[in-house]
DNA sequence: ATAATAGTTGACTATTTTGCTGGGTTAAGT
DNA sequence: ACTTAACCCAGCAAAATAGTCAACTATTAT
């Protein structure tokens, strides 16, 4: 589980999509403008997200992208994993000599931690983040943004 | 909170250090050999860890590095933060126009998630990982490595 | 004192990843 | 037909990562 700006872009874009794709598909051009991410970079990210079965592209006028699943069924770990390379990270692979090695002992510790982080991120869904935001919005800002969030939240259900 | 191989190296090295620095300081040369990390790269990482007040260098023969605090008082988030650049990640900084922007709304969501991850990693200490390993070791392997772990665990207290 | 050990520093290089530009092709709506 | 947008791809500049090299300083053992 790697956590870089690339993953952040992906999650940000997916959040934006979740916000706006309730009625009709959202174009990458729109997301690019709102989130100030270059269109071509978004295309790369969404190509991976599509291959991972998280979003669906709709071609032609009025087209764009929409989510394949409910926001509550899309977790953060999957989004990040989708845009990153598989990441072996083992360095010792399945080598036999590694069993009794001190190095691999420490390696196991890291792997364990990595799994913990992954599980943690798997437990957080897009819906969780959106909901959390809704609460924050209503509490802190109370203007049209909040209203919009509530609208979306209703559609989501 | 960024999570890359750099952070992994740092955590791995700190784990190695926690394992071996109970009686006497551990040289970076040893860690480099065990964990197959280049010595000079370790030097860079430990320079940062030292500046962060997590490890202490002991010069002269028999010298090396040792932990400044108990393993239970050293958390993963701090280790990773120590070796990484400060990471602004804002892109909107504290700009005024960002308040009512849709982009910044999504940005806030990410920041919230980032904080969650950070808090999570803050809640995990070196001792936690070592202890977890000890349990695993006893359960699965039951050889000298496990014995060694128990020894260290006693010294730690 | 002196040699050996080991940390400290800085500059320098190679590789990888990142983020982006710009060119296209293909499918769908008008 | 024409537009719109997804889709695809080759390449490229900047940054981060990972590692090297060399000189230097502080400490300790003899």
């Amino acid at each position: 589980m790697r956590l870089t700006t690339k993953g952040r872009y992906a999650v940000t874009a997916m959040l934006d999509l979740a916000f706006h794709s309730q009625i009709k598909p959202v174009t990458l051009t729109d997301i690019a403008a709102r989130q100030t991410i270059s269109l071509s970079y978004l295309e790369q990210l969404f190509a991976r997200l599509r291959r991972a079965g998280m979003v669906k592209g709709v071609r032609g006028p009025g087209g764009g992208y929409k989510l394949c699943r409910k926001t509550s069924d899309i977790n953060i770990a999957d989004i990040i994993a989708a845009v990153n390379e598989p990441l072996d990270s083992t360095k010792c692979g399945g080598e036999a000599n590694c069993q009794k090695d001190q190095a691999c002992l420490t390696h196991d510790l890291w792997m364990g931690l990595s799994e913990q982080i992954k599980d943690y991120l798997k437990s957080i869904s897009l819906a969780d983040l959106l909901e959390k935001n809704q609460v924050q919005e209503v509490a802190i800002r109370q203007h049209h943004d909040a209203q919009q969030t509530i609208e979306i939240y209703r559609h989501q259900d």
Side-chain angles (χ1 to χ4, degrees), chain A:
Chain A
M1 188 87 302
R2 208 166 40 187
L3 207 56
T4 62
T5 48
K6 195 173 192 174
R8 189 178 79 211
Y9 278 141
V11 173
T12 300
M14 287 292 279
L15 280 167
D16 188 284
L17 188 56
F19 261 119
H20 296 93
S21 69
Q22 298 305 312
I23 293 98
K24 63 185 185 76
V26 175
T27 67
L28 292 189
T29 309
D30 286 351
I31 298 178
R34 274 195 294 265
Q35 307 301 331
T36 52
I37 307 171
S38 90
L39 177 60
S40 296
Y41 196 43
L42 271 181
E43 283 176 354
Q44 282 181 40
L45 297 180
F46 272 77
R48 286 167 182 271
L49 291 169
R50 189 175 51 83
R51 267 176 248 136
M54 316 191 79
V55 297
K56 184 172 164 53
V58 180
R59 294 186 167 193
Y65 278 96
K66 53 184 189 177
L67 300 177
C68 279
R69 284 171 268 158
K70 288 189 295 178
T71 53
S72 54
D73 290 340
I74 301 177
N75 70 69
I76 305 302
D78 286 347
I79 296 173
I80 294 173
V83 296
N84 283 329
E85 299 303 321
L87 171 68
D88 47 351
S89 92
T90 43
K91 182 179 261 187
C92 58
E95 289 174 28
N97 70 326
C98 205
Q99 294 296 324
K100 45 179 176 279
D101 216 358
Q102 183 63 43
C104 204
L105 202 153
T106 316
H107 167 76
D108 281 348
L109 290 180
W110 172 262
M111 289 301 284
L113 176 64
S114 184
E115 277 303 306
Q116 279 186 56
I117 297 169
K118 193 172 180 177
D119 286 346
Y120 179 67
L121 291 180
K122 264 194 187 302
S123 74
I124 304 175
S125 71
L126 277 186
D128 291 334
L129 288 180
L130 291 171
E131 187 174 2
K132 191 190 170 194
N133 177 72
Q134 185 221 9
V135 174
Q136 283 183 346
E137 283 306 301
V138 173
I140 300 169
R141 295 183 187 172
Q142 297 183 323
H143 55 34
H144 73 284
D145 277 339
Q147 197 59 38
Q148 191 173 12
T149 313
I150 292 164
E151 276 300 306
I152 288 161
Y153 191 68
R154 285 215 187 99
H155 283 102
Q156 200 127 28
D157 193 21

